[in-house]
Amino acid sequence: PEGTEYQAQCVFRKDFHHLLQPFFESDEAKNFQRKVEEKISREVLGKVFDMWFEDQLMPLTRTLTAEFYKGPAVSQMVAEVPAKYAEVLRLLREAEQSGKWPACSKGREKVIKLSSEGTHGSFTVGSMPASMEAPNGTKLFPELAMRCFELERELKP
């Protein structure tokens, strides 16, 4: 209702907390919190987020990309790659040329398309505990994953 303020997970000074905690933990407060969260969820799931993403974030991404990247073309920078990055770059190029480069999610695809030209996609490489499955990128490109880990150790021992 108008004039009502929604606060969740607030922490107050000790001298007030003991007075306010019973209020915020009351059934009435919990019901109000649930109603507010449900309304927010309905609005987000009701295309508000999609409209914001398409109408505001996507155009802003184009502007920010143009503003923040005013350097030489990527093809000009490749010749200047430091030696410690060269092997990972070579393997990335092989992965791209192999035709195995995986597609990416619809949301991620929108961001990638705005910030680059040509073929788009992304994948993850990583090491997982034995009880979990390795990311697809690690399975598709095991040597690349290994070299990425080596580069990571070199960059941040």
Side-chain angles (χ1 to χ4, degrees):
E2 189 172 327
T4 303
E5 184 174 318
Y6 175 70
Q7 298 181 358
Q9 300 178 359
C10 297
V11 178
F12 300 93
R13 290 188 349 220
K14 286 184 181 181
D15 52 337
F16 290 106
H17 188 76
H18 75 282
L19 297 171
L20 294 169
Q21 185 176 7
F23 169 74
F24 283 113
E25 292 180 356
S26 70
D27 288 339
E28 187 176 339
K30 288 179 181 178
N31 285 337
F32 179 72
Q33 179 179 356
R34 186 178 71 340
K35 285 179 184 179
V36 169
E37 289 171 352
E38 286 173 359
K39 182 178 181 189
I40 291 169
S41 294
R42 279 193 308 273
E43 288 180 16
V44 168
L45 296 175
K47 304 296 181 193
V48 169
F49 176 80
D50 289 340
M51 289 171 36
W52 168 80
F53 186 85
E54 291 290 334
D55 298 343
Q56 295 179 17
L57 184 61
M58 297 299 277
L60 182 60
T61 303
R62 286 185 196 100
T63 303
L64 292 174
T65 301
E67 279 297 311
F68 289 109
Y69 186 74
K70 292 185 177 178
V74 173
S75 59
Q76 292 172 337
M77 294 188 314
V78 170
E80 303 168 19
V81 173
K84 61 184 164 188
Y85 299 98
E87 183 63 8
V88 171
L89 180 59
R90 182 188 69 76
L91 291 167
L92 280 167
R93 287 178 175 152
E94 280 183 15
E96 193 271 331
Q97 291 172 357
S98 72
K100 296 180 191 175
W101 196 286
C104 57
S105 69
K106 295 289 182 191
R108 180 80 178 128
E109 182 180 61
K110 291 176 184 178
V111 175
I112 292 172
K113 282 185 178 180
L114 284 177
S115 61
S116 62
E117 296 178 8
T119 306
H120 313 287
S122 69
F123 63 90
T124 301
V125 296
S127 177
M128 302 298 286
S131 62
M132 298 180 74
E133 194 171 339
N136 286 338
T138 304
K139 291 185 224 171
L140 287 170
F141 309 111
E143 186 180 359
L144 173 60
M146 185 176 70
R147 297 294 181 226
C148 285
F149 295 140
E150 289 172 2
L151 179 59
E152 180 181 46
R153 283 191 295 276
E154 187 175 337
L155 294 174
K156 190 167 183 163

